[in-house]
Amino acid sequence: MNRLSLNQWTTRRWSLPQAVDGCARHGIPAIGVWRQQLQECGLARAVKLIADSGLRVSSLCRGGFLTGGEALDDNRRAIDEAAALGAPCLVMVVGGLPGVSPGEPLSPGVSRDLPGARQRVVDAVAELAPYAAERGVRLALEPLHPMYCADRSVLSTLGQALDIAERFPVEQVGVVVDAFHVWWDPQLFSQIARAGARIASYQVCDQLHPLPADVLLGRAMMGDGVIDFRPMTAAVAAAGYTGDIEVEIFNADVWAADPDEVLTTMIERYRRLVI
């Protein structure tokens, strides 16, 4: 339990104050904060609230969407927020093909230049990494499952994320190992070993089968899907990662459930299946 973190999206219907209170009541020592709820709460209030609760912030979600070329200022604001919260990393969902928006029809001017989109990510990270380092925040590049390549992340494997991260000092740019997004990769364990000190965050949830019509909501509570967590947790530990383990679930049924019941189940499954 001393490494368990509740990513706020798992209990999406809770405000940040409610999520902080829920963690305190259930003995969860850390929280992964989402910017939407942070803005609703207000940064100064959130900083005091979390400090008074004794919780630590495991990450701030999210920065990124770098491929459109217009996100640098918002990412600098996100870095400033992470620094104020004491979050060790800002999770970066880097963005899909320029002109492709999640859930929207393709526009006539959409770009299909995938290598060019990935180069935009490199260029943007080069701009942001020194700014983040000055504020004690590490950018954490998160590869997403290939089904999200067009609209959310042109980084689909841990290896691709590391290819970019390794261009920068380890304290400036790391990677996220998210079980949902990377469990399928035949090179996963060699890439986790390669990542080593680059691992900035380890996130867990299961993958539903079959996937729902909205694949964004295909995450599940650990044990309700197809992922074997123990080998992945062991590999992350062997790579040297000793940080928090966040549970991050996008699932309509989980969101509709009583959040306190969700946390009770989350703790039991974490103990039994993840560690």
Side-chain angles (χ1 to χ4, degrees), residues 109-121:
V110 64
S111 169
R112 291 175 170 82
D113 181 7
L114 183 55
R118 289 175 175 146
Q119 184 58 48
R120 289 188 182 203
V121 174

Side-chain angles (χ1 to χ4, degrees), residues 85-149:
L85 289 168
C89 66
L90 173 65
V91 174
M92 304 291 284
V93 175
V94 298
L97 293 171
V100 179
S101 299
E104 298 293 331
L106 290 180
S107 62
V110 64
S111 169
R112 291 175 170 82
D113 181 7
L114 183 55
R118 289 175 175 146
Q119 184 58 48
R120 289 188 182 203
V121 174
V122 174
D123 295 343
V125 171
E127 286 281 334
L128 294 169
Y131 184 90
E134 290 172 359
R135 288 150 182 80
V137 176
R138 182 153 62 154
L139 304 182
L141 305 180
E142 181 174 15
L144 269 56
H145 192 284
M147 61 188 167
Y148 303 116
C149 183

Side-chain angles (χ1 to χ4, degrees), residues 207-223:
Q207 179 179 308
L208 283 175
H209 181 78
L211 286 167
D214 184 350
V215 294
L216 187 66
L217 305 185
R219 294 171 175 249
M221 186 65 70
M222 298 80 73

